């Protein structure tokens, strides 16, 4: 038996009672090892030996441990156990690698059989399923939802999707989670409950390819998370949130609270307001004008959306739009200390592209039929390429080239659907598998290959951030991609068809919330519920900068809660409006790390009379309180956290320090709007 000690817990590896045993002064829980079906037989985690293989520091905070566990029943079969442990977190992550020197296969005799691990819930444990991928049609956005697990789930052997399950009693709270993604309720993995009060994290579909050989290169599972705190579920959520912010990802740039600007909103406005093409504004002159305005307003990352490229797949700069290949544009961004970002459609490759010519067998196909090519945003017709194929490495190398040659440090990924390909020629099954098995395997692995691409890019270019657009349903949403990147959460919000409002699709802009004012911010702030478990900086959402100042304040107060996105017609914003953004974003940048560190404390419903968010760092007292009002009245609020003595307010506000270190805020709204009260800025 091996032991790993941290300041929070001791982890036993290879204990007689379980593969992993997690112990604190007040908490003890065993995690049973994985169960596979190999060669038609159920293989349980019974090992003749557990041997340390390696210990490696991945960064200043995280150490990776590897162990080999040799099966007692099959001595030529080994379970590799990989652990990533941060001394400063009560949460750790782990995965398995099944490997063999013999001739063994993963099989599926009666449904998919892979149990990742199992724990026993005590009778006093209250369990809650935490869903991260429910697509709310009213908001046209993915949202977080916490659902209590009924006791009858055990007696009736029911299942829930998660991807996170919590348990709590009077003393301690714990969690088990998996790093994968799909839209609820389309489960690939489930938490299964048994009458014996076992909670088994089990595969449902697509987790492995039936008949796959287990060789020296191994079969690797997804990552799992486990952790516990002495305290409530709120304390547990705070610990998991910090784990997401600081420790689960090795790509630290993706966690930084930069301010992002994206050109797409004006491209849409130009199309629907001015009857222009989407790409008519995609040229060096317009981009330079937008960069000047973005610099005045305090933007950190300038993202050029679709149309900058000559053709998809190759992703080279279009010389007709940018005469010098963006060199002058990049020089201007460098002068202003801004980063360059580009839109990418990772699965698109133009018919005449080198990417397609090199990988003609990697096109998405369904039942033997390749999907017809289609034009991508007024550019050449393109095929859809399968990322669960050799194409993934070509794409990764292309992005690395853009990062190194053009200086790109941010990629916005768009239009990656979870389903579609069941080709027998890729990495998700062959002719010995059924079309359904191949389709499920592709859908399961799409997120894994997205992570592989980002991993390869960031290993060579650690300054790069990859952002996956999940503004539509049927996307891979969960903890998997967040381990390497972040999400682009909301585009323009709901369409008219979300509310069954008929429009003319040829002449009308299908998005509803595209105008200045409060309504769009109601939609965009609603998913801030994620911030309890996952930092809001991982859910980029774009707010509007348009005049008048009242609308600007509402949008500024919203975006500085962590979603940090702006788009619109920047050159059309008044000089006073640009100065307003510069002033408030300047205050935000002083305390944005403090704001990012804390989950939002919310009072009032979104869009109600008063809606208040407190994001003040417990350690420094620095941060912000944002108040939104839909009425003309006086609002009073006492902060829950102690506050820094330095105060700046966007509107006339009375801030009174109290004896316990907190502050009383009193503000009178003469019209609906928003106020920002900065502490320590």
């Amino acid at each position: 038996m091996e032991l790993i000690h941290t300041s929070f817990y001791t982890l036993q590896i290879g204990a007689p009672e379980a593969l992993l045993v997690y112990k604190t002064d007040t908490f003890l829980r065993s995690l049973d090892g994985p169960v596979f079906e190999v060669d038609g037989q159920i293989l349980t985690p019974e090992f003749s030996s557990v041997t340390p293989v390696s210990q490696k520091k991945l960064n200043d905070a995280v150490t990776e441990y590897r162990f080999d566990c040799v099966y007692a029943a099959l001595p030529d079969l080994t379970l590799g156990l990989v652990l990533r442990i941060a001394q400063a977190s009560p949460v750790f992550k782990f995965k398995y690698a099944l490997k063999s020197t013999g001739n063994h296969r993963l099989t599926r005799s009666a449904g998919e059989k892979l149990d990742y691990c199992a724990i026993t819930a005590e009778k006093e444990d209250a369990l809650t399923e935490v869903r991260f991928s429910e697509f709310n049609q009213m908001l046209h956005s993915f949202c977080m939802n916490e659902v209590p697990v009924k006791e009858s789930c055990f007696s009736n052997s029911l299942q829930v999707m998660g991807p996170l399950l919590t348990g709590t009693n009077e003393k301690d709270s714990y969690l088990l989670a998996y790093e994968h993604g799909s839209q609820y309720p389309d489960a690939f993995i489930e938490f299964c409950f048994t009458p014996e009060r076992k909670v088994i994290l089990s595969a449902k579909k697509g987790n492995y390819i039936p008949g796959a050989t287990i060789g020296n290169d191994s079969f690797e599972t997804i990552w799992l998370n486990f952790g516990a705190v002495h305290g409530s579920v709120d304390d547990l959520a705070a610990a998991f949130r910090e784990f997401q912010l600081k420790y689960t990802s090795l790509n630290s740039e993706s966690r930084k609270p930069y301010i992002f600007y994206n050109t797409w909103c004006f491209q849409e406005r130009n199309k629907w307001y001015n009857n222009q093409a989407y790409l008519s504004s995609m040229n060096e002159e317009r981009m330079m004008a937008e960069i000047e305005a973005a610099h005045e307003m305090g933007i950190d990352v300038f993202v050029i959306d679709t149309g900058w490229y000559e053709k998809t797949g190759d992703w080279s700069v279009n010389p007709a739009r940018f005469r010098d290949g963006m060199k002058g544009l990049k020089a201007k961004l460098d002068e202003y200390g801004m980063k360059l970002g580009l839109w990418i459609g990772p699965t698109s490759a133009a018919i005449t592209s080198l990417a397609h010519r090199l990988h003609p067998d990697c096109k998405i196909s369904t039942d033997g039929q390749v999907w017809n090519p289609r034009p991508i945003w007024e550019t050449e017709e393109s095929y859809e390429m399968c990322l669960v194929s050799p194409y993934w490495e070509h794409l990764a190398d292309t992005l690395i080239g853009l990062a190194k040659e053009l200086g790109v440090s941010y990629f916005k990924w768009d239009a990656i659907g979870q389903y579609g390909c069941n080709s027998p020629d890729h990495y998700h099954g062959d002719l010995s598998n059924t079309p359904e098995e191949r389709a499920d395997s592709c859908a399961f692995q799409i997120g894994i290959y997205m992570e592989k691409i980002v991993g390869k890019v960031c290993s060579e270019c650690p300054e790069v951030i990859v952002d996956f657009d999940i503004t539509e349903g049927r996307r891979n949403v969960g903890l998997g991609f967040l381990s390497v990147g972040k999400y682009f959460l909301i585009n323009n919000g709901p369409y008219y068809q979300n509310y069954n409002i008929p429009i003319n699709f040829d002449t009308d802009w299908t998005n509803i919330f595209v105008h200045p004012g409060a309504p769009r911010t109601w939609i965009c702030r609603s998913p801030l519920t994620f911030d309890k478990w996952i930092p809001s900086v991982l859910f980029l959402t774009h707010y509007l900068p348009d005049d008048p100042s009242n609308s600007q304040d509402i949008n500024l107060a919203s975006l500085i809660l962590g979603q940090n996105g702006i788009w619109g017609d920047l050159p059309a914003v008044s000089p006073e409006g640009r100065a307003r953004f510069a002033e408030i974003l300047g205050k935000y940048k002083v305390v944005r790390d403090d704001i990012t560190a804390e989950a939002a404390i919310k009072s009032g419903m979104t869009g109600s009379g008063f809606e208040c968010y407190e994001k003040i760092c417990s350690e420094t007292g620095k941060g912000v309180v944002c108040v939104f009002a839909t009425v003309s009245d006086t609002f009073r609020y006492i902060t829950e956290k102690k506050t820094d003595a330095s105060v700046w307010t966007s509107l006339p506000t009375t801030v009174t320090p109290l004896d316990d270190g907190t502050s009383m805020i009193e503000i009178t709204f003469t019209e609906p709007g928003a106020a920002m009260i900065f502490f320590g800025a």
Side-chain angles (χ1 to χ4, degrees), residues 439-637:
D440 286 345
S441 176
C442 183
F444 179 83
Q445 292 192 77
I446 189 73
I448 294 170
Y449 274 83
M450 290 164 64
E451 295 165 38
K452 285 165 69 78
I453 295 165
V454 179
K456 183 173 182 180
V457 172
C458 291
S459 66
E460 292 201 35
C461 307
E463 73 282 4
V464 166
I465 300 168
V466 180
D467 189 343
F468 173 37
D469 188 327
I470 57 170
T471 61
E472 305 295 338
R474 305 293 277 180
R475 300 282 167 98
N476 183 290
V477 177
L479 295 175
F481 191 79
L482 287 180
S483 68
V484 296
K486 58 189 293 186
Y487 285 136
F488 184 111
L489 180 62
I490 292 180
N491 192 314
N492 285 318
Y495 303 116
Y496 282 99
Q497 57 263 38
N498 280 101
Y499 300 110
N500 296 326
I501 301 173
I503 61 168
N504 187 325
F505 286 88
D506 295 324
T507 59
D508 298 328
W509 196 352
T510 59
N511 297 313
I512 298 176
F513 298 104
V514 296
H515 302 289
R520 186 173 188 279
T521 70
W522 301 336
I523 297 294
C524 292
R525 287 198 306 274
S526 294
L528 281 170
T529 49
F530 278 115
D531 197 43
K532 175 179 178 179
W533 291 95
I534 304 173
S536 53
V537 291
L538 297 181
F539 293 96
L540 178 64
T541 300
H542 288 74
Y543 290 88
L544 299 176
D546 305 87
D547 298 297
S549 60
N550 176 274
S551 175
Q552 290 170 336
D553 278 4
I554 294 170
N555 282 271
L556 277 162
S558 299
L559 75 90
I560 65 172
L561 294 173
Q563 294 167 311
N564 286 25
I566 299 170
W567 65 8
D569 187 353
L570 295 192
V573 177
S574 68
E576 296 79 11
R578 295 187 202 178
R580 183 67 167 168
F581 264 78
E583 179 183 30
I584 291 176
L585 290 183
K587 297 293 182 183
Y588 168 69
K589 289 178 181 181
V590 175
V591 295
R592 61 181 168 184
D593 289 333
D594 304 276
I595 291 172
T596 302
E598 294 291 331
I601 299 171
K602 180 184 179 183
S603 60
M605 294 186 298
T606 301
S608 62
F610 290 113
E611 175 189 355
C612 177
Y613 296 83
E614 175 183 329
K615 296 200 78 170
I616 298 171
C617 181
S618 302
E619 295 181 1
T620 66
K622 298 178 180 180
V624 71
V625 173
C626 295
V627 184
F628 303 90
T630 60
V631 295
S632 300
D633 208 330
T634 299
F635 174 78
R636 296 177 182 84
Y637 178 77

Side-chain angles (χ1 to χ4, degrees), residues 134 140 182 196 261-262 282 360 392-393 411 492 531 542 634:
E134 284 201 271
H140 201 88
S182 62
E196 297 76 30
Y261 169 73
N262 184 292
M282 186 51 61
W392 82 269
E393 282 198 279
F411 291 105
N492 285 318
D531 197 43
H542 288 74
T634 299

